[in-house]
Structure formats: structure tokens, C-alpha cells
Amino acid sequence: MPRLLSPRLSFAGLAAVFAAFFFAAGAPTPLLSLRQQEWGFSAGTLTIAFSIYALGLLAALLVGGSLSDHIGRRPVMLAALYGELASMLLFLFAPSITWLILARALQGLATGLATSAFNAAIVEHAPAHLKKFAGALAGASVAGGLGLGALLAGVAVQFNPDANTLIFAALSGVMVVAIVFVGRTGETTAKRPGALRSLTPRLELPADIRGEFYAGIPVHIAGWMFPALFLGLSPAVLRLHFAVEGGLAAGFTSFLGPFAAAVSSFVFARHPARRSTLLGVILILAGIVLVLLGINETWLPAVWVGAVLGGIGFGGSFGGQLRLMAPHIQPHQRAGVFSGIYAAAYLAFSVPLIIAGQLVPLLGLVPTLQSYAAAIMAFAALGIVIQAVLMRRDVASKPVPAGSAA
């Protein structure tokens, strides 16, 4: 039997493998736009092909999100990787949009199965002095992977005549290496009964975090709708509204927000969680206002600056929400709670985008984008009010140090 890897190496490697799932999720953004031009399917079909991934991910979270709490992290992570490998091969050889949608759905299922297990395993493998950093690293893996996947796939589309083969053949190889790596990591949780019962769809929300979770819903909706706009619709917006062609521009535009979120999650991790959440959602509001200005005035630099600003806010608000709840989660609840958090996040990531895709033929591209942006602004404003009230409550509930003036 091969010797197991050290916890420190496992910690770093699992974070990289987890990022690879989201790199693969971001890669289809410019590639789907290219296929739309080649195969001639509608904007509504494009958003379905993009969003079916999030719906598959949600289904896997609801059914298998707690499974690794019962059978162990490693078996679930390996099953997810085999599913991801199968989806990469489907992308590689897909002859039509129907097969691409199937590949995207399978990718979502695999990523959903991976999400809670990898989040839990990364935290559990982290050295004691890096436990706080582990949460930020897991969040950065999601956002950074999405952004880098879109950017590098865009570069491939721009400069390689067969970008689809290049990207998905390489990602298939990455998944094979990842399977070997994860197979040599140690198990971090003991098996316990109830595995079959855990497959009953449900969200596990311990009483200690329910209030915080519900208060954070507007923040999650605004935060996850923001990158979905860029990853799902920006290639069509660039081509049809800004008259900008090419995979490089599409990949770059899709890259800015998620990458800014990944970087900012480490910066915000040094600050109190409530402050990070509040400041983050304020920046999301500012970012979407700039994006809307750029769309209305056909001024692309404003869209890019808004993407960065909103991405920074997304990283701060989502990471802050995770840190607000993390101290109240017991180890045996960890995977189940992560599945609940990401289920809410990916509903916000997918459903509004599908609705927007169906509205484009009815309302037109720009009015649909304006409505989508208005929804983000409304949820961000609600999130700001709620988090400001909670911050005031947190300050009021702090004990007054002994000897302070009355």
C-alpha cells in the first residue's frame, strides 16, 4: 500500500485539486460562446448550458452533501473526481449542444459532490496555525478557479484553432493526476452510521447558525448573482452590445471579478467577519452600479472596474459569512452545513441567470441586463441594512471592560 502523504502536503494539494474543479467550471464560458457562433443556438440555450451546471451542483449538494460525514472524505472526493473526468471527456468529444448540456450537468453533479467533502477535508488537514486561513483558501479556490479557467480558455480560443481539444484534454489529464493524489491522502473523519439516510434531500442547519444563515441570504444572492452575470452572459454582451469579438476579451472580462474575489478573500480574512461581510456587500452594490453605467453608456472600462470592485466585495462578503458561522459548526456537521451554504449560493448563481436568458428574446439584451442589475442592487441594499443592524447589535452586546467609565 502506498505511503500516505503528510497532512501539510495534503492540505495544499487538496486546495489545488478543489480549485481545479472550478477552473474546469470556468473554462466553458468562452468555449460555449464559440460553440454558439459555430452551431447557432439561442442566448436562452446558452444560459441553460451554463446554468445547468449550477442546478446539477445543487442537486448533488442536497442529496450527497452530508455523505462524507458518514463514509469519509476520501471516498466522496474520489467519486467526484471520477465524475469530473467523465464530464471532461464528454466536453472533449461532444458533437452537439445537447451533449454539451449533458457534460455540463455531469460536471455540476461532480462538483456538488466534491464541494462539501473538499471544504471539510481542507479544514481538517490544515495545520493548527492555518485553520483560519483554510476557510479563506477554500473560498479562494472557488473564485480563483472560476476566473483563471475563463481567462486561460479565452486565451486558447483566441490563439488556438482547436481550443476545445486543448483545454479539455489537458483538464482530463489534470483529473487523472488528482485521482492519484487524493488516493494517497489520509482520511480525516471516522465512519458513522446513517449514510443511506443522509441521502434524503435536506439542508442541515444547526440551531446555532440559523439566524446568521437567514440574515446572510440577501448577501449570498447579491454576491453570487454578480459573478454569474460575467460568467454566463458577458461573452454575448461583449459581442452584441460592445461589438468586441474574440475569446481573449471574453475570458478577460469573465476573469476579473472571480480573481479579485479570490485575492480579496485573503485580505478580508485578517479583519472581523461582520465588518468583512458589510464592507463586501457595499462594494458589490458599488460594483454593479459601475457595471450598469458601463452598459448604459457603452463604456467597457467602467464594466471592467465594476467587475473588480464587485469581485472584491464578493470575496469579502462570502468569506465573512463563512467565518461568522464556522465557530458554531461541530466537526460531524461540517459537510452538511457547507452543503446548505453552497445550495443557497448556487440557487442564486443559476436561477436568475436562466430567467435572464429566457427574457433576452422578449425584452432585448440591454433591458434584461438592466433588470438583472436592479435585482442585484435591491438584494445588496437589503443585505447592507441587515448587516449594519447586526453589527450595531454585536457592538452593543460586547462586555464593557472593567474600570471603563460608566
Side-chain angles (χ1 to χ4, degrees):
M1 181 178 176
R3 199 169 83 177
L4 296 178
L5 301 170
S6 69
R8 185 182 293 270
L9 181 56
S10 297
F11 164 65
L14 287 174
V17 173
F18 190 47
F21 274 91
F22 292 94
F23 183 102
T29 295
L31 291 168
L32 283 172
S33 180
L34 178 66
R35 290 299 192 214
Q36 183 187 23
Q37 295 175 60
E38 293 174 349
W39 295 344
F41 51 84
S42 68
T45 302
L46 176 66
T47 55
I48 290 173
F50 177 80
S51 300
I52 195 71
Y53 158 83
L55 295 178
L57 190 151
L58 175 62
L61 282 173
L62 291 174
V63 175
S66 300
L67 187 60
S68 74
D69 285 334
H70 298 273
I71 69 172
R73 312 297 185 211
R74 189 169 58 188
V76 175
M77 291 190 292
L78 286 171
L81 280 165
Y82 280 112
E84 187 75 3
L85 174 59
S87 75
M88 294 299 99
L89 293 173
L90 272 177
F91 274 117
L92 184 58
F93 298 110
S96 68
I97 184 59
T98 301
W99 282 96
L100 281 181
I101 291 173
L102 179 61
R104 193 74 170 148
L106 179 57
Q107 183 183 39
L109 289 169
T111 308
L113 191 61
T115 295
S116 56
F118 271 91
N119 267 278
I122 289 167
V123 171
E124 289 159 357
H125 276 290
H129 66 288
L130 292 177
K131 291 292 184 185
K132 181 179 178 181
F133 173 77
L137 183 61
S141 296
V142 175
L146 285 169
L148 285 172
L151 177 63
L152 294 183
V155 172
V157 168
Q158 186 76 35
F159 298 109
N160 190 293
D162 195 6
N164 191 79
T165 298
L166 174 66
I167 291 292
F168 290 113
L171 283 171
S172 297
V174 168
M175 296 308 158
V176 170
V177 173
I179 288 169
V180 174
F181 178 88
V182 171
R184 294 190 59 189
T185 60
E187 184 54 72
T188 55
T189 189
K191 292 182 180 180
R192 60 189 182 96
L196 287 177
R197 190 168 60 252
S198 76
L199 298 178
T200 303
R202 71 188 190 283
L203 297 179
E204 185 171 347
L205 292 175
D208 288 349
I209 71 165
R210 284 177 194 163
E212 198 66 69
F213 177 83
Y214 294 137
I217 285 176
V219 177
H220 286 313
I221 294 175
W224 284 84
M225 281 182 70
F226 191 88
L229 170 64
F230 287 90
L231 290 163
L233 288 174
S234 66
V237 174
L238 288 172
R239 190 174 71 255
L240 300 176
H241 184 62
F242 289 95
V244 175
E245 299 282 351
L248 183 58
F252 177 73
T253 304
S254 301
F255 158 80
L256 286 171
F259 188 75
V263 174
S264 72
S265 63
F266 294 109
V267 177
F268 277 102
R270 303 173 185 172
H271 299 281
R274 181 76 63 199
R275 186 185 303 165
S276 296
T277 302
L278 178 57
L279 180 56
V281 75
I282 290 171
L283 289 173
I284 290 170
L285 179 58
I288 194 62
V289 168
L290 264 179
V291 169
L292 188 56
L293 174 66
I295 290 171
N296 289 342
E297 301 299 323
T298 320
W299 187 26
L300 190 53
V303 174
W304 287 338
V305 174
V308 172
L309 202 59
I312 292 170
F314 173 47
S317 62
F318 187 61
Q321 279 289 292
L322 291 180
R323 288 188 288 123
L324 283 167
M325 289 182 278
H328 307 290
I329 304 171
Q330 300 302 314
H332 68 278
Q333 301 169 326
R334 194 169 280 138
V337 172
F338 277 127
S339 70
I341 294 169
Y342 278 96
Y346 275 94
L347 273 173
F349 188 74
S350 58
V351 174
L353 189 65
I354 292 174
I355 295 171
Q358 303 311 307
L359 288 177
V360 167
L362 301 175
L363 302 180
L365 181 61
V366 171
T368 299
L369 291 172
Q370 290 168 336
S371 301
Y372 190 99
I376 294 177
M377 287 189 281
F379 282 111
L382 179 59
I384 290 168
V385 172
I386 293 172
Q387 294 302 316
V389 169
L390 291 176
M391 177 176 278
R392 182 173 295 183
R393 182 206 64 183
D394 294 346
V395 171
S397 64
K398 282 185 179 179
V400 179
S404 297

